[in-house]
Amino acid sequence: MEKWFELIKQKLESWLMLSIKMLPNLLLAVLVFTAFFFLAKFLRKIVNKLLVRVSHKPTISGLFSSIFFIVVLLVGLFISLQLLHLEKTIASLLAGAGIIGLALGFAFQDLTANFISGVFIIFRKPFDIGNIVDTNGFTGIVEEIQLRSTTIRTFQGLHIMLPNKEIFQKPITNYSLSGKRRIDVDLTFPGKSNFQTIEQQIKDALLHVPEVKDEKVQVLFVDYNGDTVKMEVHCWIDNTIEMGFNNTRDKVLRQIHAAVTSHL
């Protein structure tokens, strides 16, 4: 029994001596970690302000500034552990973090893909709120852009929430980007028609559509088989207005119909 007490006493004495020897390192490690903590807080504010200016999205800015804060804090933690000669602990922490990250990556593949796609969409800005877009078979106005999904309101009044991965990986047409869009109208006439008169009547009729300028109107022959002639009418309109294309196309078709039927 005395031997056991002696062993315990020696062990406690060795631990006490080691603690005394490591006390300066412990104090230094605490100071280093505290300094990194305040440094991380300071840098988080700066990064948040910079990202707000770039992305104009407080949610994104807050998220990435918090990630930056955690990274700086982890650097401070690893340096503090090195001062305490706990290199094996650092290796264990890194290995555990890698395994956890791998497991979470497999478990939340779609969520991660949508998140990364949302970040790219927000920073690259292929479209913005209020733009008229066509993607994944839906055409409408962008109402909201979030990290996981984007909400589009169709012209029928339906709100469609599309995962950002689907938008990022597939073609998207942004009608509001250029501001102009061409209306094409296909026409077929008998081969013996007076095409000069028809062309002039179409151009005169489109003068009654304020959204269309006369110098923008083109009447082109596209096919001829002896009995019939196929023509196309091209005119450009402003496409930045909600429902502007559909309303203007309706006016154009009505005016062309009136001009063609009056000739026939």
Side-chain angles (χ1 to χ4, degrees):
M1 184 66 70
E2 292 182 359
K3 292 183 178 180
W4 286 102
F5 281 114
E6 186 66 25
L7 288 174
I8 294 173
K9 180 181 177 182
Q10 291 178 359
K11 195 66 174 178
L12 291 175
E13 287 178 351
S14 64
W15 284 353
L16 180 61
M17 292 296 296
L18 182 61
S19 299
I20 295 173
K21 290 180 180 179
M22 291 297 295
L23 186 59
N25 295 62
L26 178 62
L27 292 175
L28 182 60
V30 172
L31 289 175
V32 168
F33 183 76
T34 304
F36 267 89
F37 175 77
F38 287 105
L39 177 64
K41 289 185 66 176
F42 175 72
L43 293 177
R44 178 171 61 179
K45 292 180 180 179
I46 296 177
V47 171
N48 185 52
K49 291 180 179 178
L50 291 175
L51 291 177
V52 167
R53 292 180 182 179
V54 174
S55 66
H56 304 289
K57 301 289 183 182
T59 305
I60 294 294
S61 306
L63 174 66
F64 278 94
S65 60
S66 297
I67 293 175
F68 187 80
F69 171 81
I70 294 173
V71 170
V72 175
L73 204 62
L74 287 175
V75 171
L77 176 63
F78 291 152
I79 293 176
S80 301
L81 291 175
Q82 281 187 332
L83 291 173
L84 295 173
H85 304 293
L86 297 176
E87 290 83 0
K88 293 183 178 180
T89 304
I90 297 175
S92 301
L93 288 174
L94 291 175
I99 295 173
I100 293 173
L102 186 63
L104 290 176
F106 279 110
F108 301 101
Q109 291 184 44
D110 290 339
L111 185 63
T112 304
N114 286 324
F115 172 79
I116 295 174
S117 300
V119 172
F120 272 98
I121 288 173
I122 289 173
F123 279 97
R124 293 184 60 185
K125 293 185 177 180
F127 55 85
D128 208 341
I129 294 175
N131 288 165
I132 301 174
V133 300
D134 182 1
T135 180
N136 289 271
F138 299 101
T139 302
I141 303 167
V142 179
E143 293 254 318
E144 188 177 20
I145 304 173
Q146 296 180 338
L147 285 175
R148 196 190 69 83
S149 63
T150 296
T151 302
I152 297 176
R153 175 168 56 85
T154 67
F155 295 137
Q156 292 78 25
L158 302 176
H159 285 76
I160 309 297
M161 295 183 65
L162 292 173
N164 287 329
K165 181 183 71 172
E166 297 297 323
I167 298 176
F168 187 73
Q169 293 180 347
K170 294 181 180 178
I172 178 170
T173 303
N174 188 342
Y175 294 113
S176 301
L177 195 60
S178 61
K180 296 291 182 180
R181 184 175 179 182
R182 195 179 75 182
I183 295 178
D184 298 339
V185 180
D186 297 326
L187 300 171
T188 302
F189 295 99
K192 296 181 180 181
S193 302
N194 187 342
F195 295 106
Q196 289 184 345
T197 303
I198 294 174
E199 180 178 355
Q200 191 58 48
Q201 285 180 338
I202 291 174
K203 289 184 177 181
D204 292 340
L206 293 181
L207 289 175
H208 298 286
V209 183
E211 295 85 353
V212 177
K213 295 182 178 180
D214 181 50
E215 62 268 20
K216 295 288 186 179
V217 177
Q218 288 181 311
V219 181
L220 305 174
F221 283 65
V222 294
D223 193 18
Y224 173 67
N225 62 7
D227 296 326
T228 59
V229 173
K230 292 184 179 180
M231 303 172 64
E232 282 187 1
V233 179
H234 299 165
C235 57
W236 292 86
I237 65 167
D238 183 7
N239 193 52
T240 58
I241 305 173
E242 181 178 345
M243 293 295 292
F245 175 78
N246 291 334
N247 293 333
T248 306
R249 183 176 60 179
D250 174 74
K251 295 179 183 178
V252 168
L253 290 174
R254 288 175 184 271
Q255 290 297 330
I256 291 177
H257 176 264
V260 171
T261 52
S262 65
H263 172 75
L264 298 177

